[in-house]
Amino acid sequence: MIRTHVHPTRDAADASVAAELRVLLRAEPRAVLGFATGNTPIGLYRTLAADRAAGRVSLALASSFNLDEYVGLDPEDPRRFGAWMREQLFRHVDLPLARARFPDVDAVDLDAAARAYEAALASAGGLDWLVLGIGRNGHVGFNEPGSSVDSRTRVVELAETTRADAARTFGGAENVPRRAITMGVATILGAKRIRVLAFGAAKAAIVRACLHEPVSERCPATFLRGHPDVELHLDPESAALASP
Ligand code: GLP
């Protein structure tokens, strides 16, 4: 069962999720956190940055694993999720960069790199808390439609809708990478707590599908319904098509 919260505004949703994270980090300063990229978590990351600036939270002992990373971009490319996370979050908080992990997409053997990422996460004890967005096609991380519930961290081909959604960042869909390394669905479901954010009218249909359509590989976000501690944080626009 997904516990669904419809907040009056995005800011209220971000504040609520950030407040939970402050409590968690106070109780478990060494928490292992899972981070997502995309437009959706930007407000949450701003809130965490403000919390850090005000001394309300510390990530000094925490560590993190990002969900995914594009394959094929230059290591210095600002569109890499690693660079994006530094800009949006890491440079504003006290999480040591050495403990902010990403799949090694520069490795010669990408399959081995994906397995190593899964193993590193397991040896860190798994994720205590994971923030997720949802792609318009129901992807979580880069688990596109067709991803199985028992999938683990691996190299994936990106769906056309995903590449179209990223086209603006890359100056055209043809420039968007074709592959990525992503945590698998089973990797994601292994997190102790999953907090999903979805905002705006463009996410209303996929939120409805995630909550009410049959659980299936056609919409990987539906697999979240099998998790014991998952919350969906919405604004009124993204909640518009979901039944109460
Ligand atoms: C991206 C990421 C996902 C993200 C999703 C939605 O491609 N791999 O982790 O949740 O698409 O993106 P946005 O938040 O910009 O709508």
Side-chain angles (χ1 to χ4, degrees), residues 71-200:
V71 167
L73 295 178
D74 188 87
E76 302 309 319
D77 193 307
R79 295 165 302 189
R80 292 240 311 215
F81 291 155
W84 189 93
M85 285 298 299
R86 279 198 296 282
E87 191 54 34
Q88 297 293 333
L89 182 65
F90 298 144
R91 73 188 183 91
H92 307 288
V93 296
D94 54 349
L95 179 78
L97 275 185
R99 288 208 303 276
R101 309 281 299 262
F102 290 82
D104 180 9
V105 290
D106 305 312
V108 177
D109 185 340
L110 291 171
D111 295 325
R115 286 193 298 274
Y117 197 62
E118 183 84 23
L121 177 54
S123 70
L127 295 172
D128 294 304
W129 184 96
L130 167 65
V131 61
L132 275 186
I134 311 180
R136 269 196 309 142
N137 63 357
H139 74 213
V140 284
F142 274 136
N143 292 282
E144 303 285 18
S147 299
S148 78
V149 69
D150 54 10
S151 55
R152 294 278 167 188
T153 305
R154 67 203 187 288
V155 181
V156 291
E157 302 276 333
L158 300 183
E160 286 311 311
T161 53
T162 299
R163 296 184 61 236
D165 283 348
R168 196 139 56 96
T169 311
F170 285 90
E174 65 281 7
N175 303 322
V176 179
R178 295 184 175 277
R179 293 189 301 162
I181 292 181
T182 183
M183 288 186 195
V185 176
T187 320
I188 287 170
L189 293 177
K192 283 199 192 87
R193 305 166 188 85
I194 302 177
R195 303 299 178 245
V196 189
L197 308 181
F199 303 130

Side-chain angles (χ1 to χ4, degrees), residues 36-62:
T37 50
N39 293 315
T40 308
I42 289 179
L44 172 66
Y45 297 158
R46 282 205 190 115
T47 309
L48 288 177
D51 282 346
R52 176 63 214 137
R56 285 192 291 264
V57 75
S58 173
L59 288 83
L61 300 175

